[in-house]
Amino acid sequence: QADPRLPLALETLAHTGQFHAELTARRAGGVAFPVDFTQSLFMGPDGVTVAAAYFVDISARKEAERHRALLASIAASSHDAIIATDLEGKITSWNSSAERIYGYAERDMIGSPIFPLLMPGRQGGMQSFVTRIGHGEILHLHDVAWQMPTGETVVLAVTLGPVRADDGTLIGISSIAHDITQRKQLEEDLRQSEQR
């Protein structure tokens, strides 16, 4: 079946000598797969114009893109604060729940250091997290008390883990913070009730 973009492809090829697009091809068994298609015109040794076409199977790349889009959708809809940093601890992504839990908008946090969120009132220490996570550890920080800009204090349970490239290289750290303020308040109310 002819691709509806074929007339445009022929027109572009005639004017610029090259056409490039992502198309769908079919294997011998009829299974469709995505390809990166490039067609170029060049002059042959006998003076005749020749068209050369190149197809590259991009199934793996498209699957990786779908996977990244799925993860981005999960992060966007999560009730937990999901933050990613580079290896220096600078924030590279900040979901809407991070804004709700920490009280700061994404535009104000991208590029900022994450350590003050993890260890309020303490300086430094991010390198030790990077080293430990680089060795395969998943770090759990319990009862992190965070004071929001409104003055309200929330209690968080934070999990830190690695962000790796496709080849396994450590390229950053993920932070997932769960608001346990209500649970801690219930525990305290129960403790006081038992004491009474």
Side-chain angles (χ1 to χ4, degrees), residues 29-49:
V31 177
F33 67 102
V35 296
D36 191 296
F37 172 73
T38 300
Q39 189 169 30
S40 302
L41 297 179
F42 63 93
M43 190 72 68
D46 54 0
V48 176
T49 301

Side-chain angles (χ1 to χ4, degrees), residues 69-165:
L70 175 62
L71 291 179
S73 176
I74 292 171
S77 61
S78 174
H79 290 291
D80 292 337
I82 300 178
I83 305 166
T85 78
D86 60 20
L87 292 180
E88 295 179 352
K90 292 181 180 178
I91 295 169
T92 57
S93 70
W94 181 267
N95 74 342
S96 58
S97 288
E99 181 171 338
R100 176 178 54 81
I101 288 173
Y102 286 105
Y104 291 100
E106 179 184 21
R107 65 178 178 275
D108 298 323
M109 297 307 295
I110 298 298
S112 299
I114 194 175
F115 193 76
L117 306 181
L118 307 176
M119 296 290 183
R122 291 178 52 182
Q123 298 296 320
M126 192 65 200
Q127 189 55 49
S128 65
F129 286 164
V130 173
T131 301
R132 292 171 64 185
I133 291 171
H135 285 98
E137 283 191 64
I138 302 294
L139 306 182
H140 301 283
L141 308 179
H142 302 284
D143 299 347
V144 177
W146 172 255
Q147 187 173 39
M148 299 176 66
T150 60
E152 177 187 1
T153 297
V154 294
V155 183
L156 308 172
V158 182
T159 300
L160 302 175
V163 176
R164 298 189 183 278

